[in-house]
Amino acid sequence: METASVFDIYRGTTHDGPGLRSTVFFQSCPLSCRWCHNPEGITAAPGVWWEARSCIGCMLCQDACPVSANPAGETGIHIDRERCIRCGSCVDACPTGAMSFIAREWSLPALLDEVLRDQAFYQKTGGGVTASGGECMVQHAFVARFFQELKAQGVNTALDTSGFAAFSAFEEVLPYVDYVLYDLKLLDASAHRQFTGQDNSFILENARKIASAVKEERFRAELWIRTPLIPGATATAENLAAIGDFIAGQMEGQVRRWELCAFNNSCITKYQRLGLPWACQDVPLLRKEETEALRKAAVSGGVDNELVFVTGLLRE
Ligand code: SF4
Ligand code: SF4
């Protein structure tokens, strides 16, 4: 049976497309953005993680580990990911759920049942289901089947993607997509490599191809662009102006919305649970005047002012 590795499902979210939505976070991502808000979703082999607030310190997890991969340190239980064989014995032994698998496998019928629980809300609010990640296109064959079934049930679908996938994979999924939420993070190639670990030429090429395909009505999806505003990385006037130029000049007039998503550090506990440092730990929220200046730079290249929105938390 076809299955997908999924590390989270948010219900009732308003962030990933129109209306009230369920967002399904598919495991694995070819990028490693320095500001990543879902670090647990990057690796293809996620294993287990530990949550301090649920732990009662009984150490049953350590007793259960066959390879001594979960020693306790000053900051709590540390999973040695080189040593861990992802057997799950610590998860079974833990009485509180403090030790858990990061991701789990879902069959197509089970995942459909899960998200269709909220079908009435989708209908009432113009919402639906969003595939996110990680990079959901890593599991594109499953996503295509998932969306095909949702469309058959009258549920609208949104694809939240970094654009880093073969165009042939997009061609498989896009017939079943109502909204493409396409990330354009950095236009400068070397900055893109520096901050995400990958080249952006592939991403830009796919953006052009998807825009052309939408213009030619080969797909009926509505195209949204999303740019994370990360101080010290993406949140510069030069970068926003360059992305604006790209959208205005190379996306065939097909972009219906451009979201500038203000940085927040709400994911810090995820890094703590993984035992990883986070480069953005001390980065502050942006101020309204900063986002206004960035928005101004964004529209300087000719993108319609009405299409550009700042989203997310701001500093008082
Ligand atoms: S998953 Fe298995 S190997 Fe890994 S820490 Fe838990 S018990 Fe040890
Ligand atoms: S078994 Fe669970 S509660 Fe006990 S020490 Fe390990 S993680 Fe904490």
Side-chain angles (χ1 to χ4, degrees):
M1 190 193 293
E2 44 189 343
T3 63
S5 179
V6 168
F7 65 90
D8 214 342
I9 300 173
Y10 288 176
R11 294 175 65 193
T13 178
T14 54
H15 300 304
D16 302 313
L20 268 185
R21 312 191 69 78
S22 292
T23 298
V24 180
F25 294 86
F26 289 84
Q27 188 73 33
S28 186
C29 183
L31 275 63
S32 47
C33 302
R34 234 178 247 187
W35 54 84
C36 181
H37 274 59
N38 295 319
E40 77 277 34
I42 294 177
T43 176
V48 299
W49 62 349
W50 172 78
E51 189 178 38
R53 69 187 167 138
S54 311
C55 180
I56 54 172
C58 65
M59 298 303 161
L60 290 172
C61 54
Q62 283 187 357
D63 296 344
C65 183
V67 292
S68 304
N70 50 6
E74 273 179 20
T75 53
I77 292 175
H78 168 78
I79 310 293
D80 180 341
R81 297 191 184 278
E82 299 287 309
R83 192 180 272 261
C84 173
I85 55 172
R86 300 187 288 281
C87 67
S89 298
C90 56
V91 177
D92 293 340
C94 178
T96 67
M99 199 65 83
S100 62
F101 277 108
I102 290 170
R104 60 168 274 204
E105 292 293 314
W106 286 82
S107 70
L108 184 58
L111 193 57
L112 285 165
D113 281 352
E114 180 69 16
V115 298
L116 288 172
R117 289 161 65 196
D118 289 339
Q119 192 164 10
F121 295 113
Y122 309 150
Q123 276 162 356
K124 230 182 166 102
T125 64
V129 174
T130 301
S132 183
E135 170 50 65
C136 60
M137 289 298 291
V138 171
Q139 301 184 66
H140 60 88
F142 185 98
V143 173
R145 289 280 297 116
F146 181 49
F147 278 0
Q148 185 179 17
E149 294 293 332
L150 288 170
K151 295 292 297 166
Q153 302 261 0
V155 174
N156 90 48
T157 58
L159 182 75
D160 174 19
T161 179
S162 68
F164 200 90
F167 187 67
S168 57
F170 282 108
E171 288 182 306
E172 234 176 272
V173 178
L174 286 173
Y176 313 110
V177 174
D178 293 300
Y179 297 88
V180 180
L181 315 181
Y182 199 97
D183 274 14
L184 290 177
K185 301 175 170 76
L186 286 153
L187 248 276
D188 180 81
S190 71
H192 198 278
R193 268 193 302 278
Q194 179 192 349
F195 287 110
T196 75
Q198 293 286 6
D199 202 84
N200 65 357
S201 54
F202 196 30
I203 292 168
L204 299 179
E205 186 58 27
N206 279 337
R208 290 187 200 96
K209 284 181 174 170
I210 290 171
S212 294
V214 170
K215 186 177 185 187
E216 291 160 10
E217 299 188 353
R218 284 166 48 213
F219 309 116
R220 297 205 170 271
E222 187 171 310
L223 191 46
W224 295 13
I225 299 297
R226 301 210 290 186
T227 301
L229 298 180
I230 314 297
T234 65
T236 67
E238 296 73 26
N239 184 46
L240 272 294
I243 297 174
D245 279 351
F246 180 86
I247 293 171
Q250 301 195 47
M251 295 198 70
E252 311 274 3
Q254 296 306 308
V255 173
R256 297 288 170 257
R257 182 178 170 96
W258 181 14
E259 289 185 357
L260 310 179
C261 311
F263 169 83
N264 69 69
N265 61 7
S266 61
C267 62
I268 182 66
T269 52
K270 293 184 171 192
Y271 283 87
Q272 288 163 351
R273 288 184 71 183
L274 289 166
L276 294 174
W278 186 33
C280 297
Q281 176 164 335
D282 299 319
V283 173
L285 297 181
L286 288 159
R287 290 201 171 87
K288 190 169 187 335
E289 53 270 27
E290 290 174 296
T291 59
E292 281 305 317
L294 292 166
R295 190 181 176 288
K296 208 167 164 192
V299 297
S300 66
V303 175
D304 185 344
N305 190 45
E306 304 286 304
L307 302 182
V308 185
F309 299 86
V310 174
T311 63
L313 287 177
L314 299 179
R315 193 152 37 126
E316 290 296 313

